[in-house]
Amino acid sequence: MTFALRSFFLLLAVLAATCHHCFAQQPAAAAPCAMPVFSNVVHDPNIFSEQQEEWLGEILDPQIRKEFNVIDDPENDYLQKIGERLLAQLPPTKIHYSFTIIDAPESDSFGLAGGHIYLSRKIIALIQSEDELAGLLGHEIGHIITHQVAIDISRDFRNVLGVTQVGDRKDIVDRWNQLLDTFAKHPQKHDEKREQQEQLIADRLALYAMTRAGYKTSSFGDFFDRLAGTKKNTGNFWSDFFGATSPESKRLRELMRTSAPLAPVCITAPPSDAAVHFPKWQQAVIASKRAVAKEEIPGLIRKTSLKPPLRGELDQLQFSPDGKYLFGQDESSVFVLTREPLANLFRIDAPDAKAAHFTPDSLAIVFYDKELRIEKWEIASQQRTSIRQLTSKCFDTDLSPTGEVLACVTPDLDLQLVDVTSGKPVFSKQKFYQPTFADLIMLELARILDEADATPNLFSTRFSPDGHYFVISRGEMQFAYDLQTRSEVKLPKKVKEILTSFTFLDSGQLIGHSAKSNKLTIVRFPSGDLVDEFPFNFGGNYSRVQKGNYLLIRPAGNAAVGVIDLAGKKASMGYKAPGFAIYDTVFAGEELGGEVSLYTLADRKQLAKVQLPDSPLSAARVSSFSANGKWLAVSGRSRAAVWKLETGERALYLRDLAGAFFDQDQFIARFPKREKDPSTVFEFDPSNKQSKKLYEIAAEPEDVLPDALARFVGRPIFQFGDLMVSVKPDDAKKSTNNYVVEARDLRTNKPLWEHKFEKERPSFHYSPAGKTMSTVIANYDAIQQQAKSDPGLAAKLKALGGGQDKKASYVVQVTEALTGKTLGEVLVDTGKLSFKVKSAIAAGDTVLVTDSENRTLVYSLKSGEQIGKVFGRSQALSVRGDRMLVENGKGNVDLYDTATLQSLAHFSLPSLIGQAAFSTDGNSLYILTIDQNVYNVAVH
């Protein structure tokens, strides 16, 4: 079954409409058990042998593994055994099939050339029997065994490249790269009818293989009906005649119509324990963790674990309703603690989890992740008591305090309240909100940023603390629902006025900010009777406290959390970290050092303090190896550390950094502005922990920009090794696209050089090995300005031909970092934006360009010519530029010779690379993975 994930590749189309009798079946073969024969599609030209198809699949497989995490099959071979049972009913093939579970957030499955088949955990959760699973696998096998992907790529190779035959693996890689380089020049019209035919052929083969393998063929139609939401509607003559039958209904009709019986001799006995076995396996998949690759590192000199590892900042702290417990949550974990005494109980592994919360009875913690897996953990037993996988497709979500109901806003802006146990909506309202122009702008900005944390939360949603009511609002749209009576709540005017920024104070009171009156207003819910109100200037993200007459607002000016005293009707305090909670007369807060402390609320007296357990750090904001390989510095959002690599022991523990540089054994760190403290540069000696302040930096607006916005508009100051680089408009009084770039010595803050860039704000990338800055220029006017002073660049630009080709190109300008001297420029032809340039680094004569197709393009700086390209993202470049480290997918790493692009060594790492660097002599590599292990590897 092929769905939205096919859009990751040019050749893989989304599962879409199908039509009745879209393909003609030849008369039945004489043999009673023969496979169906088809008259078109499968007989179209295919230039790939089965071996070449496998090579093609090997090229594409890492792209999937880069996008998604692989999930362990709890039995290792359950899917494989079902797949092989189905394949045994089909003609022999030399293709080796593999079946992989991934953590895609949609209910999807798809297949690639060469037998690679992928199922999302969500689609496995949607399946109700092994028969349905067999139908799904049979469909994907049907696409591959009839060589549909290879045939489609054959057509693209012929139409776009003029290629009618392929050779060895390298030739296929080269041809695929050519296609990626030029597909925008030769747009291929989507052939919907052909796509429908391909789906129907795969369906017929799935039904045939299911029948022969002893599976119930009607189950496949049941599954598709549930997945597509067709509700058994197959249409009829009149709905077809008037064009009212949906493509999904037509396809369901075909599935129900073509389940032809076979002679008993053709059918093998079905698995005897399938009915019992499948549900157990399915539940195990839902509970399964991400797969970890086996560590294989040839040339390993030393593996060092950072001790202690750096833990990320808490996103929240929360007391239990009864005040006996509290938990903290960061990007990877939920830490459960007792309050008296303040002590760690246990840690819950929770990567990519949304905000957790205590259940109303204080006995458990509930949360969910991006796949909509809802987990419940009992505090007393310290065990997970339930995990359920919802299959809804949601744009915005919220979980009730009991963990029993999930609020889901679908991409079509339907509202659903889904019962977690059954997975079925208890309430649905179609098209409940019409997006405004401003909403569409926000969504487009999120799309441009192309990052998960940039996706806006359009709606304000709250469940009452007891899970009785649900309220959602956006602009003039307000809606409330009573989950006990299963009925909509009619909201009085007084309630509607405060639903722009609001939260429940308790199960019977709502507080919100009225923009009209500029007041904080407390009303009884749902009656709207006024309880209290007072002037307050700011709306925001409000949250209740478990006990006490207070309201929290996040953020609050320079503070991460602000406290509003509802009795005193005023703002009473702010707290520097997001991890903050109040219970009655005490508050809990995360310290800059990472500890969690309890304080009295009245006089801020510390009552207790505890250090939380270790937790994975999924991403670092700053990381740097020393050139001599002795030291490593890493900074997260709130704290940083320096480790001695020989032992892994921590030498320095610091607040968060904006930049880091090792000058031999001395460590120079730039600290961003925080509250009243200006941005400052310090020098440290990690050996004896002595430090001295070098200088302060004038206040910059970068310190107050949200991360997502800063990534979009750019920060005005950067640290590149021992350089401080600032980017400012050339005229502060006028709005221009001209900028001045100034570089200063990090040690002294003295100016080193200055460049002017016209027509575009430059994008910089630094190579610590090459000590070069690479500036990516995308604006055509700016490129023309550069070409005026560079005859070689002007000639290459002219050779591109038409205006569209020129305007869709990039220039990478490489400069010597310390002097600002231009070393050369490389012109990148994107084939009318068949791809985009993401970053570039340079050392020696080598320039590495990372593009949007997950490739590293290799250029000679001297000639400006492209040497070639490899799949994956460059992680490190040697001082001479003759070696590069490239990661293609998670932990799949190769060391390449940049002149020949031959792989010199392959490494399998159990975790993603966080930072990598070659030694100064080029004889070894240092690799930091995000699980905070450092590998020192010999390079030959």
Side-chain angles (χ1 to χ4, degrees), residues 773-794:
M773 281 176 47
S774 298
T775 306
V776 178
I777 305 171
N779 180 277
Y780 181 58
D781 291 335
I783 292 174
Q784 284 184 308
Q785 287 293 118
Q786 295 293 326
K788 289 179 180 178
S789 57
D790 187 334
L793 176 62

Side-chain angles (χ1 to χ4, degrees), residues 759-780:
K759 310 298 184 181
E760 180 186 34
R761 189 186 195 283
S763 169
F764 299 110
H765 308 275
Y766 177 69
S767 168
K771 293 187 175 3
T772 59
M773 281 176 47
S774 298
T775 306
V776 178
I777 305 171
N779 180 277
Y780 181 58

Side-chain angles (χ1 to χ4, degrees), residues 59-79:
I59 296 167
L60 300 178
D61 175 67
Q63 317 306 310
I64 298 299
R65 295 175 185 267
K66 172 181 175 291
E67 290 292 332
F68 307 109
N69 294 295
V70 173
I71 304 302
D72 278 324
D73 183 334
E75 296 183 16
N76 296 320
D77 61 354
Y78 181 75
L79 286 175

Side-chain angles (χ1 to χ4, degrees), residues 108-301:
D108 281 294
S109 68
F110 55 97
L112 304 181
H116 297 273
I117 292 175
Y118 307 86
L119 288 78
S120 73
R121 179 154 43 189
K122 283 188 75 170
I123 206 167
I124 290 173
L126 187 67
I127 293 169
Q128 294 183 354
S129 67
E130 188 171 293
D131 296 273
E132 292 187 357
L133 178 59
L136 179 64
L137 295 181
H139 176 93
E140 297 303 342
I141 290 171
H143 281 299
I144 297 169
I145 205 163
T146 53
H147 309 287
Q148 292 178 18
V149 173
I151 289 170
D152 289 343
I153 296 181
S154 295
R155 184 177 65 252
D156 290 337
F157 276 16
R158 182 179 64 253
N159 295 343
V160 177
L161 306 178
V163 171
T164 56
Q165 63 180 11
V166 289
D168 59 12
R169 191 183 193 282
K170 182 181 182 303
D171 182 56
I172 294 172
V173 171
D174 291 342
R175 299 304 186 187
W176 181 251
N177 275 315
Q178 281 183 271
L179 187 66
L180 295 178
D181 287 341
T182 58
F183 74 84
K185 287 185 176 182
H186 308 276
Q188 301 296 296
K189 185 178 179 181
H190 177 62
D191 190 340
E192 185 175 344
K193 183 177 180 180
R194 180 185 181 86
E195 183 180 311
Q196 294 167 356
Q197 292 176 321
E198 291 176 344
Q199 300 299 342
L200 288 172
I201 289 171
D203 284 347
R204 288 296 302 277
L205 287 174
L207 294 171
Y208 168 77
M210 287 178 71
T211 302
R212 289 205 59 177
Y215 289 109
K216 186 179 177 181
T217 54
S218 61
S219 295
F220 188 29
D222 294 338
F223 167 71
F224 179 77
D225 179 56
R226 189 165 62 256
L227 178 69
T230 45
K231 299 179 180 179
K232 301 294 183 182
N233 179 13
T234 60
N236 54 45
F237 171 82
W238 291 110
S239 63
D240 287 357
F241 183 80
F242 289 106
T245 309
S246 71
E248 292 79 13
S249 291
K250 291 180 180 179
R251 181 168 177 194
L252 178 62
R253 181 197 303 164
E254 279 297 303
L255 283 170
M256 296 174 66
R257 187 184 70 85
T258 55
S259 297
L262 290 174
V265 70
C266 303
I267 301 172
T268 58
S272 59
D273 62 343
V276 177
H277 191 176
F278 172 77
K280 291 181 179 179
W281 174 83
Q282 180 187 49
Q283 189 58 35
V285 169
I286 292 170
S288 188
K289 294 185 176 181
R290 295 173 179 175
V292 177
K294 182 181 178 182
E295 188 176 280
E296 295 180 0
I297 307 169
L300 180 66
I301 300 171

Side-chain angles (χ1 to χ4, degrees), residues 728-740 756:
K728 297 179 180 179
D730 67 342
D731 190 334
K733 297 180 179 179
K734 296 181 180 179
S735 178
T736 70
N737 287 325
N738 301 330
Y739 293 85
V740 175
K756 292 185 178 180

Side-chain angles (χ1 to χ4, degrees), residues 474-516:
R474 174 73 177 174
E476 298 299 316
M477 186 281 300
Q478 301 96 13
F479 175 81
Y481 190 77
D482 187 323
L483 286 157
Q484 289 187 1
T485 63
R486 301 291 175 91
S487 61
E488 183 177 347
V489 176
K490 299 300 181 183
L491 296 174
K493 181 179 179 182
K494 196 66 176 177
V495 172
K496 290 183 177 181
E497 287 178 354
I498 63 173
L499 289 187
T500 301
S501 301
F502 74 97
T503 192
F504 281 92
L505 283 179
D506 54 42
S507 297
Q509 290 190 111
L510 198 72
I511 185 168
H513 183 261
S514 171
K516 183 177 180 181

